[in-house]
């Protein structure tokens, strides 16, 4: 599809160039491209600024006009690790990886059941999964806090893991369902005619086709779990706190610590930005529950 | 889809009737089994808290006064609706959600149109534009509060000619929304770009041959085609943004007063700073009811979109 659009674009521009009177369109695209680049860099600039500031000294971070040329230093990153971001990073990593694995373990068979071997009321089940994403988390936080407190699981990383798994499961089921539906029926039929068992069909026919989809789903779950803040700030403290909880420390200290703050923010954002760059083609599919490919 | 798949799974015709009906029932459970763990997990973790919220909302219960818990029927709801701050905050939530979503959709549409062309570095530009959406919201909010909106050293004031306007205290709600719009515009762009690229090229080509100008092609062909994607963007954006907490917490703490507080933040304050379990639960229920109204509409839209996107449903 993209190819056809690009084809038409090139043919029209060559056609326009060939015509004498519409020479304007020769400079038009160039202007548009320049504009696009300016806008893109503008949108990206706060991120770039964060990364640049992370490599400054505090003195260089507070200048008017802002400093663009400076000698980069790792001082701030060292300071952030000295301030103890390490355990928070480890907690984030653990909660993200374990919850994502749990989501995959639960969602893959579920998605299989609602796509390739639909049972009765499949539609209702799908409806239920998606509806849990639409109920505001804030309405559940009070009982969650009370229950978690009662069973002595406050400030415990497994509490977050359970909640993150529940948070991402509906998205994963929907996303994976859309990948399962892309498996050609003919292949499945052929496998069953050849007498392959269900397990073998799944392993040797379905899995290779949907593994990019599983990977994309995992990346989406990683992004959401890593960035989650509401549960983390209300249910964890020094023991099980994740990176976003660590960042909260910077709003209470109103002092001049922008360079250090930027270093911490860079560390917090980096894993997800990388995951997201890889998954950018699938981001919309994940967030729209598979509605848009 | 369903029929072709069921055929090979049907019980073998040779087997006697009784076994076949029993094996059909077993077959049903075999088919359902892979679904059950996920379903049970989701029900336990997401539905029980909501039932408890309903139960708590009918009680007077403050964590600071142990033993104060007792049943009060709908008193909490009466208190919630009599609370003028709750009304302010509800209004803020609507302004914040709809305002951010609509601005992000318009900006996202403009960006998608810019990107729906063949030009040098398109992939790089898209990657740059996607990035704000990926930045951890707490980190993004910190950036906006400090390096961007700070009155003295903030980049925004520098770009605007070195003034020292205090955005966060003068326009707290708008400051929060700026961060939200910055983060959500890329999502809208990706969604609408997917919409633009699913547009049949020959239609546009035909219109162009007929001598239609760029504007009339946009209004008469592109916009109607994008309608579904625009609706989806608005609905999904609203679902995610109505839960905004990070940006409010980090940039303004809801202040000054309740000027920039939204419902999630206000409920958080009531529950975790005021320890008023009953009232915060009642507010939670009100939010759920409001959300259900929006979500019914949203679900229908997602299902319709999904059906149209080529899946079976």
């Amino acid at each position: 599809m993209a190819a056809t659009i690009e084809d038409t674009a090139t043919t029209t521009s060559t056609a326009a160039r060939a015509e004498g009177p519409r020479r304007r369109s020769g400079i038009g695209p160039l202007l548009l491209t320049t504009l696009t680049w300016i806008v893109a860099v503008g949108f990206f600039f706060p991120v770039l600024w964060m990364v640049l500031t992370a490599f400054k000294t505090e003195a260089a971070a507070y200048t008017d006009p802002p400093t663009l040329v400076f000698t980069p230093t790792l001082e701030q990153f060292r300071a952030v690790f000295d301030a103890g971001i390490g355990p928070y990073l480890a907690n984030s990593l653990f909660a993200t990886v374990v919850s994502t694995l749990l989501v995959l373990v639960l969602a893959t068979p579920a998605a299989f059941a609602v796509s390739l071997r639909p049972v009765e009321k499949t539609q209702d089940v799908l409806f239920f999964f998606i509806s849990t994403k639409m109920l505001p988390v804030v309405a559940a936080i009070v009982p969650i806090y009370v229950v978690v407190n009662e069973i002595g699981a406050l400030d415990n990383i497994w509490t977050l893991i359970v909640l993150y798994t529940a948070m991402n499961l509906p998205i994963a089921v929907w996303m994976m369902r859309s990948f399962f539906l892309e498996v050609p029926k003919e292949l499945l039929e052929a496998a069953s005619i050849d007498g392959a068992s269900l397990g073998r069909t799944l392993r040797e026919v379905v899995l290779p086709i949907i593994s990019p989809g599983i990977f994309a789903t995992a990346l989406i779950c990683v992004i959401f779990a890593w960035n989650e803040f509401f549960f983390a700030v209300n249910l964890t403290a020094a023991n099980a706190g994740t990176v976003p909880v660590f960042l909260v420390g910077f709003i209470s200290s109103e002092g001049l610590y922008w360079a250090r703050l930027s270093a911490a923010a860079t560390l917090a954002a980096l894993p997800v930005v990388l995951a997201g760059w890889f998954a950018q083609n699938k981001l919309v599919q994940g967030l729209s529950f598979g509605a848009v490919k | 889809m369903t029929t072709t798949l069921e055929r090979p799974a049907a019980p073998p015709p040779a087997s006697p009737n009784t076994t076949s009906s029993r094996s059909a029932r077993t077959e049903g459970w075999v088919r359902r089994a892979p679904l059950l763990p996920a379903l049970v997990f989701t029900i336990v973790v997401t539905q029980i808290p909501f039932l408890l919220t309903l139960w708590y909302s009918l009680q007077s219960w403050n964590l600071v006064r142990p033993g104060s818990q007792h049943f009060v029927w709908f008193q909490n709801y009466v208190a919630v609706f009599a609370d003028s701050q709750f009304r302010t905050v509800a209004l803020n939530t609507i302004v914040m959600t709809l305002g951010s979503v609509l601005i992000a959709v318009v900006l996202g549409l403009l960006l998608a149109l810019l990107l729906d062309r063949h030009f040098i570095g398109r992939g790089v530009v898209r990657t740059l534009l996607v990035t704000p959406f990926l930045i951890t919201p707490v980190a993004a909010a910190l950036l906006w509060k400090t390096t961007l909106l700070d009155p003295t050293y903030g980049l925004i004031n520098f770009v605007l000619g070195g003034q020292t306007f205090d955005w966060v205290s003068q326009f707290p709600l708008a400051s929060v929304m700026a961060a939200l719009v910055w983060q959500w515009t890329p999502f809208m762009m990706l969604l609408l770009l997917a919409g633009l690229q699913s547009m049949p090229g020959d239609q546009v080509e035909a219109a162009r041959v007929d001598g239609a100008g760029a504007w009339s092609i946009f209004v008469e062909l592109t916009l109607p085609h994008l309608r579904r994607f625009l609706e989806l963007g608005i609905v999904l954006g609203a679902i995610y943004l109505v839960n905004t907490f990070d940006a409010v917490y980090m940039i303004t703490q809801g202040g000054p007063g309740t000027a920039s507080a939204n419902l999630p933040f206000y409920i958080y304050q009531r529950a975790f700073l005021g320890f008023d379990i009953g009232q915060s639960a009642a507010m939670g229920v009100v939010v759920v009811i409001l959300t259900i109204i929006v979500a019914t509409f949203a679900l229908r839209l997602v299902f319709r979109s999904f059906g149209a996107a080529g899946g079976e449903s």
Side-chain angles (χ1 to χ4, degrees), chain B residues 158-180:
Chain B
F158 172 74
V159 170
L160 294 177
Q163 52 177 345
T164 54
F165 191 78
D166 191 350
W167 296 94
V168 175
S169 43
Q170 294 303 310
F171 296 109
L173 195 56
S175 299
V176 172
M177 284 168 66
L180 295 177

Side-chain angles (χ1 to χ4, degrees), chain A residues 62-213:
Chain A
Y62 291 90
T63 54
D64 188 20
T67 320
L68 260 175
V69 184
F70 58 94
T71 331
T73 165
L74 287 174
E75 191 187 313
Q76 304 311 331
F77 288 98
R78 220 168 289 137
V80 167
F81 275 101
D82 285 345
I85 199 177
Y88 290 87
L89 278 170
N91 283 338
S92 275
L93 189 69
F94 188 68
T96 303
V97 170
V98 177
S99 72
T100 301
L101 288 176
L102 274 175
V103 166
L104 293 183
V105 167
L106 290 169
T108 313
F112 167 75
V114 295
S115 57
L116 295 186
R117 314 183 87 200
V119 290
E120 305 152 52
K121 303 197 172 154
T122 293
Q123 207 73 337
D124 294 345
V125 171
L126 282 169
F127 186 90
F128 167 73
F129 273 121
I130 206 174
S131 70
T132 65
K133 277 312 286 181
M134 298 192 180
L135 289 172
V137 213
V138 68
I141 189 68
V142 171
I144 287 176
Y145 179 85
V146 171
V147 170
V148 166
N149 185 25
E150 210 112 300
I151 61 173
L154 276 180
D155 204 11
N156 183 329
I157 197 72
W158 286 98
T159 306
L160 288 188
I161 290 173
V162 168
L163 291 169
Y164 292 175
T165 305
M167 168 179 93
N168 283 330
L169 195 51
I171 298 179
V173 170
W174 272 76
M175 236 184 126
M176 286 215 205
R177 171 181 181 258
S178 68
F179 291 118
F180 270 117
L181 287 175
E182 283 167 19
V183 177
K185 293 169 239 166
E186 297 77 19
L187 273 180
L188 295 172
E189 276 167 43
S192 103
I193 287 166
D194 290 348
S197 69
L198 180 61
R200 224 184 117 207
T201 313
L202 283 180
R203 225 173 21 251
E204 288 171 19
V205 180
V206 178
L207 201 64
I209 300 177
I210 63 157
S211 52

Side-chain angles (χ1 to χ4, degrees), chain B residues 140-161:
Chain B
L142 259 183
L143 284 183
W144 275 87
K145 182 186 163 71
T146 55
T147 56
L148 294 175
L149 290 174
D150 186 81
T152 323
Y153 302 108
L155 274 184
I156 302 276
N157 276 343
F158 172 74
V159 170
L160 294 177

Side-chain angles (χ1 to χ4, degrees), chain A residues 9-23 25-26 29:
Chain A
T10 32
T11 42
T12 42
S13 62
T14 30
R17 223 173 291 134
E19 288 167 25
R22 289 174 68 187
R23 203 173 297 145
S25 54

